[in-house]
Amino acid sequence: MAKNFTLDFVAGIADEGKMLREFLKQMEISKTALTDIKYNGGAISVNGQDVTVRYRLKADDRVKIKFPPEILSEGMKGEKIPLAILYEDEYVLVVNKPSGMNTIPSREHPVGSLANGLIGYYENNDISATTHIVTRLDRDTSGLVLIAKHSHVHHLLGKQQRSGGVHRSYEAFAEGIIEQDEGMIEAPIARKPDSIIERQVHADGQYACTIFKVAGRYGTFTHLHLQLKTGRTHQIRVHMSFIGHPLLGDTLYGGQKKIVTRQALHCRELFFIHPFFDKEMHFTASLPNDMQEVLEKKLYRKERR
């Protein structure tokens, strides 16, 4: 049976006389969450007594929020999939996702996703949680993924992400030699009209900004470090193709599979502020074997400048 996720707060002197609804808003409990609590099996209590959001607080009141149990989506099945978990606490997980794994199930790949593996992990360890993936990666992109264990935690991290508080940096191999040591690509991205998957640079698209720095130049490609100032779908892939240097292996955007068989893109670093511990969280994941082997092959010797 699913357990309830709970939060506890203590009202301060400045909260004296404040309506509970206002206090909870300050504590970043969303209107959607309050509606869910009211109608789907949650509860709000003060000093052990159930109350409504119209309750007027007194200093030192102890407020407890009991969220409704989360219901697993129909069709979402847990699977025993090995997960490279770099960090876990009662609120979040950080996982190093391999290439070739969907973040969530799709029509083409209904099983074997990170989400399926998470459900299986939760079931095996008696953890009451559903999947709330904060930072998704494409199927063939490897690297760090941030996961919330509850919808409210996802709400807090999503808000932090939208305000620029969640940072990710990437490593990639781009076709050809990029002469600039560093640069910024600002080009709006929109969905391609004849595709549900592919994106393109288009004047009517959403603003997108990618910053790159050259880590090395090799015989036929450039090794890059990249940071996203925005988080558009396929942003790095679209931007690199736009400047004439598609990622190695990224056939969707003009790359070739002569050296690697998937887009050579890896989420190397992840930074965020923990929403409950108010602590800076920083994680790194080194290049996976397929990308590391490309750098080590003498055929692709690094060029000296």
Side-chain angles (χ1 to χ4, degrees):
M1 183 176 178
K3 301 175 185 177
N4 294 78
F5 178 76
T6 62
L7 292 175
D8 295 282
F9 306 102
V10 177
I13 295 173
D15 300 313
E16 183 85 41
K18 191 176 293 180
M19 194 175 287
L20 183 55
R21 180 191 292 114
E22 183 184 350
F23 176 80
L24 293 177
K25 183 179 179 181
Q26 289 177 220
M27 297 297 108
E28 301 197 57
I29 308 296
S30 68
K31 288 182 179 179
T32 301
L34 288 177
T35 301
D36 197 32
I37 290 165
K38 183 175 181 179
Y39 294 108
N40 294 313
I44 302 173
S45 63
V46 175
N47 302 325
Q49 300 296 315
D50 287 350
V51 297
T52 71
V53 292
R54 296 183 180 85
Y55 174 86
R56 295 283 179 178
L57 287 168
K58 303 176 184 65
D60 297 323
D61 273 347
R62 297 187 174 275
V63 180
K64 184 169 187 172
I65 310 297
K66 183 172 75 171
F67 292 84
E70 295 197 333
I71 308 299
L72 193 63
S73 301
E74 282 189 31
M76 177 66 78
K77 303 295 183 182
E79 299 177 44
K80 291 184 178 181
I81 300 173
L83 299 177
I85 298 173
L86 275 64
Y87 176 81
E88 179 180 11
D89 61 36
E90 61 185 304
Y91 304 108
V92 300
L93 277 161
V94 175
V95 173
N96 187 8
K97 185 188 83 67
S99 64
M101 173 188 279
N102 272 30
T103 304
I104 60 173
S106 67
R107 183 180 301 176
E108 295 77 16
H109 303 96
V111 297
S113 73
L114 175 58
N116 292 117
L118 285 167
I119 294 300
Y121 174 76
Y122 294 155
E123 291 172 345
N124 189 55
N125 291 277
D126 195 29
I127 297 171
S128 182
T130 57
T131 52
H132 299 282
I133 296 174
V134 182
T135 59
R136 296 186 183 184
L137 294 177
D138 296 336
R139 174 180 172 83
D140 286 336
T141 300
S142 57
L144 298 172
V145 178
L146 175 58
I147 298 142
K149 285 186 172 179
H150 187 270
S151 59
H152 178 63
V153 183
H154 194 179
H155 163 71
L156 296 176
L157 287 171
K159 186 175 180 180
Q160 186 180 149
Q161 188 175 29
R162 289 188 295 275
S163 67
V166 177
H167 300 279
R168 288 183 286 174
S169 64
Y170 294 77
E171 286 190 64
F173 302 155
E175 291 192 358
I177 302 302
I178 298 174
E179 296 297 333
Q180 285 179 268
D181 288 337
E182 55 187 51
M184 182 169 66
I185 308 167
E186 289 184 291
I189 293 176
R191 186 190 296 272
K192 204 167 186 178
D194 57 350
S195 174
I196 61 172
I197 299 173
E198 195 172 353
R199 266 59 176 177
Q200 64 179 352
V201 169
H202 193 278
D204 294 332
Q206 292 179 297
Y207 173 78
C209 179
T210 303
I211 295 172
F212 69 85
K213 185 174 183 178
V214 171
R217 297 177 178 90
Y218 294 75
T220 57
F221 70 92
T222 304
H223 180 193
L224 298 172
H225 289 169
L226 306 107
Q227 286 190 330
L228 301 179
K229 290 297 184 182
T230 53
R232 310 305 176 200
T233 301
H234 295 180
Q235 180 173 316
I236 290 174
R237 300 167 64 188
V238 173
H239 273 174
M240 294 313 301
S241 179
F242 175 68
I243 66 170
H245 296 279
L247 300 187
L248 297 186
D250 191 1
T251 55
L252 183 63
Y253 293 106
Q256 299 183 48
K257 291 187 175 181
K258 292 179 180 179
I259 300 176
V260 291
T261 58
R262 54 102 173 184
Q263 70 240 16
L265 182 61
H266 176 71
C267 184
R268 181 176 181 272
E269 291 186 277
L270 170 67
F271 172 88
F272 63 98
I273 305 296
H274 198 291
F276 292 96
F277 303 155
D278 194 28
K279 177 184 176 183
E280 294 184 353
M281 310 293 288
H282 182 236
F283 303 92
T284 60
S286 58
L287 283 176
N289 290 338
D290 62 340
M291 292 180 70
Q292 188 60 44
E293 286 172 3
V294 169
L295 295 182
E296 292 171 356
K297 287 181 179 178
K298 292 182 180 179
L299 177 63
Y300 310 117
R301 178 176 53 84
K302 186 173 182 180
E303 294 185 354
R304 302 293 180 183
R305 291 175 65 88

